[in-house]
Amino acid sequence: MEVRATAGALAQSESIVVVGLYQDQPVTGFSAELDQATKGLVSRLLERKEITGKHGETLPLHAPMGVKSPLVLLVGLGKQEEMNAGRAFRAAAAASLRLAEKPRGAVAFYFDGSWSAPWVEHGVAGAMVGCHGQDLYKKEKKLNPHQEIGWAGDAVAVNAGRVLGESVNLTRRLVNEPPSRIYPASFAEEAAQVAAACGLEIEIWDEHRLAKERCGSLLAVAQGSTQPPRLVILRHLGGKPEESPLALVGKGVTFDSGGLSLKPNDSMLTMKDDMAGGATVLGAMHAIAKLKLPRHVIGLIGLVENMPSGSSFKLGDILTARSGKTIEVLNTDAEGRLVLADVLDVAVERGAAQIIDLATLTGACMVALGADVAGLMTNNQEWCDAVANAAKQCGELAWQLPMFPEYAEQIRGSVADIKNVGDGRWGGAITAAKFLEEFVQNKPWTHIDIAGPAFTDKPKPHQDAGATGAFVRTLVEVVRRACA
Ligand code: BES
Ligand code: MN
Ligand code: ZN
């Protein structure tokens, strides 16, 4: 898919044209340009309430008189005073999705020439995300990506938006791929290709190296599977030589059957998405490298498959994590925290100044916050605020959960230092985070539980069902702010 800044006038464009329209106000900017070229057509449609400009609303006009375009799609931008990067993303995505019902050549977006760079970036990303679906293996595609996307706006911002859109779609594709294709070794291969393409350094630890590195907690989860585990370490050295890196850590369970604590069918159905945290880290690292952000950032992805077999780890097993802490296994389905325990330890060893981890960690987080909102948990309020503010700026939904010390009492062990589950299911998102906190050695750390927002069963008006690529844009924004 080609993406470029459009310079020409709307009325002269021979592409399919998408024109943004604010709600409850007369036409302005590009919508006024279209109105003039079509001798007042847009104003008449507004008058008759055929379109109101409500956010995400669309109205196709086939070859209207006065313009060269064969198809003009009007799209509502909502109230002008409510516009932000998240709404720019979703409005463009909704328009793009609507057009993707058929294969299209060039589609040119004319939203608002006065937009600041971030809004343009997120708008362009939305245009790219909206027309890509989860139908990777359907002969007759439900969504057809446009051959070319044009955006009337500053070329530097359009280019940065292209990088964001590519990165979100990379994450989505990896999560949407079936677990027979994406397993630890193949994910690591994908990461190596991404690294080569965008100039990231990469290190891949195989099962032997993981054993040499004493990653006993991660290895225990992997031991039930015929697929050997991997740890991917990506490095973007954009900062000053002596600077400590920011670390992005991802849960990469390429399939979570639950292990011997086997999940029932319906709970297992979408467990190919249990590597979404890892895919989000890879997508974000891709963007950070391509945007050449001036900050050292490392990305660490713990890759395992959690399976039941004669060689599985067992209930009652005692594991020794890389940090030296011992863990009593009470449920093999609480495997994400076991993987992250060792990966977080490597992040600390690599000198991380701040850590963010992303994981489809608990169903309990979805019970607490619903399917569209990520849970934030932290040991450092300032660092959590930085993540929360970045998410807000991008229009990605996140909400902080408390980390009172009392929650940690639930995971104190009687046989080993800690247990891998709390007592009963209450507060399960937080007891899981309390477990992770044991392995970050008091470094500023924020945990993002994306069990809900990483994947949707039903399509949204602006995005197909399946993987969402949620929090790729937020991570890029966090790193950008950390550069300032
Ligand atoms: N990968 C799951 C969490 C999950 C659930 C992600 C639903 C996405 C959607 C995780 O490994 C898991 O199984 N967690 C258990 C923890 C429990 C055994 C303490 C859960 O949430 O039930
Ligand atoms: Mn599990
Ligand atoms: Zn899991």
Side-chain angles (χ1 to χ4, degrees):
M1 162 176 282
E2 300 250 6
V3 181
R4 58 171 68 103
T6 309
L10 191 164
Q12 300 305 318
S13 177
E14 289 173 11
S15 307
I16 291 171
V17 160
V18 184
V19 180
L21 204 64
Y22 288 114
Q23 188 178 352
D24 299 338
Q25 68 176 55
V27 291
T28 53
F30 291 130
S31 59
E33 213 174 301
L34 176 66
D35 196 45
Q36 225 168 27
T38 57
K39 303 213 160 48
L41 175 60
V42 185
S43 299
R44 286 197 299 279
L45 290 168
L46 277 169
E47 235 161 74
R48 292 184 206 143
K49 300 211 162 36
E50 292 294 340
I51 187 159
T52 64
K54 203 172 128 261
H55 186 263
E57 179 189 29
T58 54
L59 181 68
L61 308 172
H62 291 272
M65 300 276 263
V67 302
K68 289 193 177 159
S69 170
L71 172 61
V72 174
L73 185 70
L74 296 178
V75 56
L77 300 177
K79 298 209 171 97
Q80 187 163 15
E81 65 273 18
E82 287 173 9
M83 184 45 69
N84 57 37
R87 285 167 76 82
F89 178 90
R90 286 192 301 277
S96 198
L97 185 146
R98 172 99 202 241
L99 288 172
E101 65 195 14
K102 283 199 203 123
R104 311 286 187 185
V107 178
F109 287 75
Y110 289 84
F111 270 25
D112 184 337
S114 69
W115 275 6
S116 62
W119 296 5
V120 172
E121 287 173 17
H122 288 256
V124 171
M128 296 169 70
V129 168
C131 63
H132 282 85
Q134 65 170 343
D135 49 2
L136 303 177
Y137 294 92
K138 258 172 97 83
K139 195 158 168 213
E140 294 253 322
K141 297 276 186 244
K142 201 177 75 173
L143 294 184
N144 304 273
H146 321 317
Q147 260 171 32
E148 194 184 311
I149 289 178
W151 190 283
D154 172 64
V156 176
V158 171
N159 196 48
R162 179 179 57 78
V163 171
L164 277 187
E166 278 173 359
S167 305
V168 173
N169 280 336
L170 164 65
T171 298
R172 293 175 68 213
R173 178 178 65 78
L174 291 175
V175 176
N176 280 331
E177 286 280 2
S180 58
R181 298 229 182 183
I182 295 292
Y183 43 89
S186 69
F187 187 116
E189 265 310 304
E190 294 268 358
Q193 279 175 28
V194 169
C198 65
L200 285 162
E201 291 180 16
I202 184 166
E203 209 179 299
I204 299 173
W205 293 5
D206 64 8
E207 64 273 31
H208 309 293
R209 177 76 191 269
L210 285 161
K212 232 201 268 164
E213 296 277 349
R214 310 171 322 280
C215 294
S217 186
L218 182 153
L219 283 167
V221 179
Q223 81 190 33
S225 171
T226 53
Q227 295 293 348
R230 295 288 184 266
L231 173 65
V232 168
I233 306 176
L234 298 157
R235 262 189 306 271
H236 167 73
L237 299 175
K240 300 189 192 76
E242 68 284 3
E243 180 185 289
S244 308
L246 191 163
L248 305 177
V249 171
K251 169 179 174 181
V253 175
T254 58
F255 187 70
D256 181 13
S257 70
L260 291 180
S261 312
L262 193 65
K263 287 182 186 290
N265 189 85
D266 287 0
S267 311
M268 205 189 295
L269 211 50
T270 57
M271 281 302 129
K272 68 174 184 183
D273 80 350
D274 215 18
M275 34 60 83
T280 307
V281 169
L282 183 59
M285 290 301 292
H286 171 263
I288 290 160
K290 281 213 156 171
L291 295 172
K292 298 191 163 54
L293 297 185
R295 181 82 165 81
H296 285 350
V297 185
I298 54 176
L300 302 99
I301 307 168
L303 295 160
V304 304
E305 191 181 65
N306 187 22
M307 295 292 278
S309 78
S311 61
S312 292
F313 74 133
K314 303 173 191 75
L315 312 193
D317 268 351
I318 307 291
L319 319 177
T320 304
R322 188 170 190 271
S323 73
K325 282 200 176 138
T326 55
I327 303 165
E328 183 179 4
V329 177
L330 298 187
N331 189 323
T332 63
D333 198 10
E335 85 297 340
R337 64 198 76 181
L338 297 174
V339 172
L340 290 173
D342 284 342
V343 185
L344 288 167
D345 188 69
V346 176
V348 172
E349 187 182 274
R350 294 284 164 116
Q354 298 106 346
I355 304 172
I356 299 174
D357 83 75
L358 295 104
T360 46
L361 202 63
T362 66
C365 195
M366 301 174 70
V367 174
L369 297 175
D372 296 324
V373 182
L376 298 180
M377 285 146 273
T378 191
N379 62 356
N380 182 303
Q381 193 55 45
E382 215 181 307
W383 183 227
C384 189
D385 289 343
V387 175
N389 289 334
K392 195 169 176 197
Q393 148 110 34
C394 300
E396 303 204 278
L397 306 181
W399 199 256
Q400 189 177 354
L401 298 175
M403 286 281 273
F404 301 123
E406 283 77 1
Y407 288 106
E409 283 159 27
Q410 288 195 35
I411 55 165
R412 296 285 152 244
S414 34
V415 185
D417 296 332
I418 46 176
K419 310 182 291 188
N420 81 328
V421 289
D423 318 322
R425 55 202 191 88
W426 308 125
I430 303 170
T431 49
K434 278 290 171 189
F435 183 97
L436 299 181
E437 190 181 14
E438 295 282 330
F439 298 92
V440 298
Q441 296 181 35
N442 291 320
K443 296 282 172 208
W445 155 80
T446 297
H447 160 59
I448 313 184
D449 192 330
I450 54 170
F455 199 89
T456 64
D457 295 327
K458 286 204 206 96
K460 303 245 172 317
H462 68 280
Q463 211 169 312
D464 195 12
T468 61
F471 289 88
V472 171
R473 291 182 295 128
T474 294
L475 290 182
V476 176
E477 182 60 25
V478 169
V479 173
R480 275 189 159 163
R481 289 166 175 227
C483 296

